[in-house]
Amino acid sequence: MSVSINILIVLSTIIAMECLSWIIHKYLFHGPLWFMHKSHHQKAKSFFEWNDLFALLFAGISLYLMYVDRNGFGYRFFIGLGISLYGLIYFVVHDWFVHRRFKTFKSNNSYLQAVRKAHKIHHKNRGKEKGRAFGLLFVRKQY
């Protein structure tokens, strides 16, 4: 495959992951998987949360896709790479910047501030119901 097609697959996967994450967050995490996700809406009792297991699941899917296509570097490899890059973006923006799990990253960038504000609005409601702002990277102008 050409380099431009591979880049397109990676970028499309990152965008698809943001859309899929919104759906999963709204309908599964705040639905039947709330028993695990609620640890993310409560005051942290330790560095790790039950919610972190979801990141391991997506990392496993990503690594599997890259592993099965490691010799041919076909579309599955680049989908796996896109999932990995989305996970890295999610970690930096969500865990590091928004929730400050590591205290070293601050920014006055207006886009990042909007992401942070939208996520704070999401966490304002500590319960399973009546949530708002389920995405991470696509932020409404009102924020």
Side-chain angles (χ1 to χ4, degrees), residues 13-77:
T13 300
I14 292 169
I15 292 167
M17 284 300 298
E18 173 65 7
C19 297
L20 184 63
S21 294
W22 185 93
I23 292 166
I24 290 170
H25 189 182
K26 180 172 174 103
Y27 296 108
L28 293 178
F29 291 2
H30 282 259
L33 297 177
W34 176 252
F35 71 98
M36 288 176 63
H37 182 64
K38 70 179 175 184
S39 67
H40 183 62
H41 284 265
Q42 298 168 341
K43 185 151 177 69
K45 296 175 185 156
S46 70
F47 183 76
F48 292 105
E49 307 167 350
W50 280 104
N51 189 65
D52 293 333
L53 292 175
F54 295 121
L56 292 177
L57 171 69
F58 285 112
I61 293 168
S62 170
L63 290 172
Y64 172 77
L65 288 170
M66 289 190 290
Y67 179 79
V68 298
D69 219 357
R70 70 192 178 281
N71 295 327
F73 290 105
Y75 72 94
R76 289 176 297 215
F77 180 87

Side-chain angles (χ1 to χ4, degrees), residues 1-7 9 69 72-78:
M1 275 198 254
S2 74
V3 173
S4 57
I5 295 293
N6 295 336
I7 291 171
I9 291 171
D69 219 357
F73 290 105
Y75 72 94
R76 289 176 297 215
F77 180 87
F78 292 100

Side-chain angles (χ1 to χ4, degrees), residues 97-100 113-125 132-133:
F97 177 70
V98 173
H99 285 290
R100 302 195 189 237
Q113 291 299 324
V115 167
R116 187 160 212 241
K117 184 177 180 184
H119 202 71
K120 294 295 180 184
I121 287 170
H122 176 72
H123 278 271
K124 203 173 199 179
N125 176 21
R132 291 178 28 206

Side-chain angles (χ1 to χ4, degrees), residues 87-101:
L88 179 63
I89 293 165
Y90 192 93
F91 171 76
V92 170
V93 173
H94 180 264
D95 292 326
W96 200 343
F97 177 70
V98 173
H99 285 290
R100 302 195 189 237
R101 283 175 100 168

